Amino acid sequence: QVQLQQSGAELVKPGSSVKISCKASGYTFTSYDMHWIKQQPGNGLEWIGWIYPGNGNTKYNQKFNGKATLTADKSSSTAYMQLSSLTSEDSAVYFCARRQPLDYWGQGVMVTVSS
Amino acid sequence: DIQMTQSPSFLSASVGERVTLSCKASQNINKYLDWYQQKLGEAPKLLIYNTNNLHTGIPSRFSGSGSGTDYTLTISSLQPEDVATYFCLQRNSWPRTFGSGTKLEIK
C-alpha cells in the first residue's frame, strides 16, 4: 500500500535552515510528482510546490521562491524540502502528498522556529 | 492567485441530516475542484476530485457538484465519524489554492 513517511518534528532557531524528508513506499517513486503543503496552526493550507522525482523538475508557488527548495533521491525513494532563513512565520506543519489530485499524504512534520 | 471562499466556516448538524458545504472560486476553475477531509491531528484525506469523482474507498454518502465558480460538497446522511474540517482545492491554475475550510460538528 502507498505510504509516505515523514521525518520527525523540528525545533530550529531563527535564521537557520531545516531539511525535512518524505520517504515513499508502495509505488514507483519516479512515476508520480510529490507535492508539499504548509499548514499553520488555526490557518488553512498553502501549496508550496512540487517535484517530479523522475527527472527532478520542480514548480514552486512564487510565495515560496527562495524559501523552499525541493529535491528527491531516487535511490532511497525519498523527497526532501529544505526551508531557509527561517522566521516565526515558517512555524507550521508541513505535509508531503503524492500527485494531483493529492491522493496520499504523509503524516506531517511540525517545524517550530524559536530562539 | 485564485481565491477560494468556503461557507459556512462552521456548521453544526444532527446525525442523519443532509449537509451541504460550499466553495466559491474568484474565477472559473473548469471543474478542477477537489474536496479534502481533515480530522483533528491528522493529514487531510482526499474525498472527491474533479468536482464529482469519488476517491477510492470513500463512502457514497459523499458527493460533489458544481461548475464555473461555484461548487458543493454534500453529505447525504451525516455520521458521527464525519466530524472534521473540510477543505476545497482548485487545480485549474498555479499556484494551487485551498479554501479556508468548513468545520463540521455534530449537534
Side-chain angles (χ1 to χ4, degrees), chain B residues 45-56:
Chain B
K45 182 170 79 170
L46 176 65
L47 296 176
I48 288 172
Y49 62 96
N50 293 348
T51 296
N52 56 10
N53 294 277
L54 206 61
H55 183 51
T56 305

Side-chain angles (χ1 to χ4, degrees), chain B residues 62-98:
Chain B
F62 291 93
S63 64
S65 64
S67 63
T69 60
D70 294 305
Y71 298 84
T72 298
L73 172 69
T74 299
I75 307 174
S76 60
S77 177
L78 186 65
Q79 299 302 303
E81 60 267 32
D82 299 335
V83 168
T85 300
Y86 292 82
F87 295 97
C88 59
L89 166 68
Q90 69 80 21
R91 289 189 292 111
N92 185 70
S93 303
W94 303 98
R96 306 314 195 204
T97 47
F98 291 87

Side-chain angles (χ1 to χ4, degrees), chain A residues 35 37 39 43-47 50 59-62 95 100-108, chain B residues 1 34 36 38 41-46 49-50 55 87 89 91 94-100:
Chain A
H35 296 249
I37 298 98
Q39 185 170 38
N43 287 4
L45 298 152
E46 285 185 283
W47 176 79
W50 61 258
K59 190 172 184 73
Y60 294 92
N61 182 340
Q62 269 197 318
F95 294 99
Q100 300 185 84
L102 306 172
D103 58 358
Y104 290 93
W105 294 59
Q107 81 276 20
Chain B
D1 298 1
D34 307 327
Y36 294 85
Q38 187 177 30
E42 298 183 2
K45 182 170 79 170
L46 176 65
Y49 62 96
N50 293 348
H55 183 51
F87 295 97
L89 166 68
R91 289 189 292 111
W94 303 98
R96 306 314 195 204
T97 47
F98 291 87
S100 55

Side-chain angles (χ1 to χ4, degrees), chain B residues 11-56:
Chain B
L11 180 59
S12 182
S14 302
V15 172
E17 188 174 337
R18 182 182 181 89
V19 168
T20 299
L21 283 59
S22 174
C23 181
K24 186 175 181 66
S26 59
Q27 63 191 70
N28 181 8
I29 56 172
N30 296 303
K31 297 194 172 186
Y32 288 106
L33 190 283
D34 307 327
W35 289 96
Y36 294 85
Q37 176 194 65
Q38 187 177 30
K39 296 184 178 180
L40 198 62
E42 298 183 2
K45 182 170 79 170
L46 176 65
L47 296 176
I48 288 172
Y49 62 96
N50 293 348
T51 296
N52 56 10
N53 294 277
L54 206 61
H55 183 51
T56 305

